[in-house]
Amino acid sequence: MTSPRTAAGRHVRARSRARRAVAVVATTVAGAVVVAGAAGAAVVAHLDGNITSVEVDSVLGDDRPEAAPTAAGETGPLNVLVMGSDDRSQLREGGQAFGGDIGGGGSDTTLLVHLSGDRERAVAVSIPRDSMVEVPGCGDPRGEDRTRLAMFNSALAEGGPACAIATVEANTGVRIDHFAVVDFDGFQDVVNALGGVEVCLPEAVQDPKSHLDLPAGVSRVSGEQALAYVRARYNVPGTEGSDIGRIGRQQQFLSSVVQEVTSAGILLRPDRLVRFLDAATESLTTDPGLDSVGELTRLAQSASGLRPDDVSFVTVPFEAYAPDPNRLQWAPEAEDLWASIREDAPLPGSPEAEAAADPAPEPAPLTVSPGSITVEVYNGTGEGGRAGEAQADLQLQGFTVPVAGNAEPGAPDGVRVSYPTGAEDAAETVAAAFPGANVVEDPSLQGRVVVTLGAGAPDVVEVPNRLGDQPLPDRSEPATAIEARSASEDICAS
């Protein structure tokens, strides 16, 4: 299934509600629980008893995306869906068929946390609650087993964790291995157990709506002020009453939480560590695969080499949803993000992704100079002006291009380079200007090479033996990179 999209995609950060921070706490529990054994068996048993477990695999069935392959010598990639909820009461009572009715406002925050197979990087992807996506029949309030277009957060609110998982898998093709639901009410206890979290404001803020009252600069906030910090939408510089405006501040908070949890200050203090683990596990509901300190410890040990630098926070690229200005839809760039997770690859546009890209094969040497080749260019793309652009770009490199016109109907896709008998080497020089061109002999031609541009034809590139040194105009659209914030980034950075 795919979510509704439009062709005019633009890359911006998606909005988020206050409870984004609640979900992140669950992703950091594993980083501290690895040393919990030192606290003694009684404490471990107590922590085990805190965690609520809900089985969902039997409801999800077998019609699910394939798990990413595991390379030799690796632990294997892992995807955990982390959700922040107002109310877990019905989960504790057993819930409904799809893993329990969350109750209250349902999920305002959902993160898909991806651990790479080599455990050298982690990505936490925020899924906007107001995204219009295809929700399977599990979330249909009328009880009908059919897919419907609805806001993303309706899946958890109406169908429980299994429905949220089914919705994510249907719209992304990403296999979810585990889930965690974090109780919103436990957020303040978790922050207090950490001894507070540092936040940063460019100006002093007094916001009567959220009760945020902090000076400019860095402050260490307790649970109540931390909640106000991530919730405030008004009277805060750069926010201007919108969810989008507070995204940067929320990302700062997430980075600060990760830095705090992974610091020696908590890991080397058993009293603080146990208080943190107690608060975190008390507010946690998971599947049976993560419902004990032992399971969380094994997960933490597998990721023990991760540093804050290796953890990135990103948001699904989105765009306006035309039928309703209060909703949004995933932009086309979102598919690149999901593909990187499915394939356990670095984020699109990141330095790691560029370094991993396969270099182009070394082309064969060109033996005919552009200065001795006459070319005619014909446009069959359906896009006006393409033949003229190619003519100009070829002429800059020394080719003689006396004709640029429209092709006959039925031009093949891509680029076809036709050449007269005996002029194959000249055709190869021309084809070097059009990556992926199909080179064909045409005995009817005399003294010229003919280029036919079809649908999907690339722009002209420089040939290795070009004449002249004037650069070609950049006609390409910039590559889209997924915006990411490292967990090690300065909390005062915008």
Side-chain angles (χ1 to χ4, degrees):
M1 301 179 191
T2 56
S3 59
R5 296 172 179 170
T6 66
R10 58 185 175 84
H11 181 66
V12 293
R13 292 192 179 187
R15 55 182 168 175
S16 162
R17 297 292 184 185
R19 283 163 280 244
R20 173 189 300 275
V22 179
V24 170
V25 173
T27 70
T28 59
V29 171
V33 77
V34 68
V35 294
V43 172
V44 172
H46 171 74
L47 297 177
D48 282 348
N50 281 347
I51 303 172
T52 300
S53 178
V54 174
E55 196 280 327
V56 297
D57 283 349
S58 60
V59 180
L60 290 169
D62 298 325
D63 186 16
R64 303 177 62 189
E66 293 291 331
T70 299
E74 292 185 356
T75 304
L78 195 70
N79 298 312
V80 183
L81 192 66
V82 185
M83 296 159 276
S85 170
D86 286 338
D87 181 10
R88 294 188 310 146
S89 59
Q90 295 192 49
L91 279 173
R92 290 188 177 280
E93 295 165 6
Q96 308 297 318
F98 271 83
D101 183 353
I102 295 298
S107 171
D108 268 342
T109 297
T110 302
L111 294 177
L112 198 168
V113 180
H114 173 75
L115 293 175
S116 64
D118 57 13
R119 294 300 189 268
E120 292 185 358
R121 66 184 186 279
V123 179
V125 182
S126 294
I127 302 177
R129 68 185 299 277
D130 293 337
S131 304
M132 297 301 294
V133 297
E134 293 182 353
V135 178
C138 58
D140 193 328
R142 293 167 294 187
E144 299 179 14
D145 186 14
R146 66 183 186 90
T147 297
R148 64 194 176 93
L149 187 64
M151 286 199 307
F152 175 79
N153 76 323
S154 67
L156 182 66
E158 297 167 1
C163 191
I165 292 170
T167 299
V168 170
E169 292 187 342
N171 286 274
T172 69
V174 173
R175 172 78 174 227
I176 302 300
D177 302 295
H178 299 288
F179 81 88
V181 178
V182 183
D183 185 358
F184 176 57
D185 290 336
F187 170 68
Q188 297 184 62
D189 292 338
V190 172
V191 174
N192 287 334
L194 286 172
V197 172
E198 287 190 345
V199 299
C200 184
L201 287 169
E203 301 175 20
V205 172
Q206 288 184 315
D207 178 25
K209 291 183 179 292
S210 66
H211 305 293
L212 181 64
D213 185 0
L214 291 176
V218 177
S219 299
R220 178 168 286 272
V221 295
S222 62
E224 184 177 357
Q225 281 291 283
L227 187 58
Y229 178 84
V230 297
R231 295 188 68 178
R233 289 193 299 163
Y234 304 92
N235 305 309
V236 181
T239 302
E240 299 173 349
S242 71
D243 287 328
I244 295 175
R246 63 181 174 180
I247 288 293
R249 180 161 29 89
Q250 292 169 338
Q251 296 284 0
Q252 293 167 3
F253 186 86
L254 303 184
S255 298
S256 189
V257 169
V258 172
Q259 293 172 31
E260 193 71 38
V261 172
T262 57
S263 71
I266 185 172
L267 295 179
L268 300 181
R269 286 280 304 275
D271 57 334
R272 292 183 62 196
L273 176 62
V274 171
R275 283 199 301 270
F276 167 70
L277 291 174
D278 192 28
T281 54
E282 175 63 29
S283 58
L284 191 63
T285 295
T286 72
D287 60 278
L290 289 180
D291 66 354
S292 70
V293 169
E295 296 293 345
L296 291 173
T297 298
R298 281 185 280 276
L299 174 60
Q301 287 173 331
S302 77
S304 59
L306 284 174
R307 305 161 300 167
D309 266 342
D310 304 320
V311 181
S312 300
F313 296 103
V314 303
T315 305
V316 179
F318 73 90
E319 61 193 14
Y321 178 63
D324 187 343
N326 296 316
R327 304 289 178 259
L328 56 92
Q329 63 188 17
W330 297 350
E333 294 89 348
E335 175 53 29
D336 296 331
L337 173 61
W338 300 131
S340 71
I341 293 177
R342 290 195 301 267
E343 299 164 8
D344 193 26
L347 288 173
S350 67
E352 295 81 5
E354 294 177 1
D358 292 330
E362 192 69 28
L366 302 177
T367 59
V368 180
S369 170
S372 61
I373 304 173
T374 298
V375 184
E376 295 179 3
V377 182
Y378 296 95
N379 179 18
T381 66
E383 305 171 31
R386 290 295 304 277
E389 290 176 352
Q391 178 187 40
D393 293 348
L394 291 171
Q395 288 174 331
L396 278 175
Q397 302 185 71
F399 293 94
T400 299
V401 190
V403 177
N406 291 323
E408 295 292 328
D413 291 349
V415 178
R416 181 179 60 199
V417 176
S418 304
Y419 65 92
T421 301
E424 183 174 0
D425 290 345
E428 291 296 339
T429 298
V430 176
F434 299 93
N438 181 31
V439 181
V440 296
E441 182 179 2
D442 183 349
S444 69
L445 297 177
Q446 293 185 355
R448 69 193 189 282
V449 175
V450 174
V451 173
T452 304
L453 307 176
D459 291 325
V460 172
V461 301
E462 291 191 350
V463 297
N465 61 344
R466 64 161 291 174
L467 303 179
D469 56 10
Q470 184 176 343
L472 300 183
D474 184 4
R475 305 186 192 280
S476 63
E477 298 206 355
T480 300
I482 301 297
E483 290 187 40
R485 180 186 179 92
S486 166
S488 65
E489 194 167 329
D490 187 336
I491 62 171
C492 291
S494 60

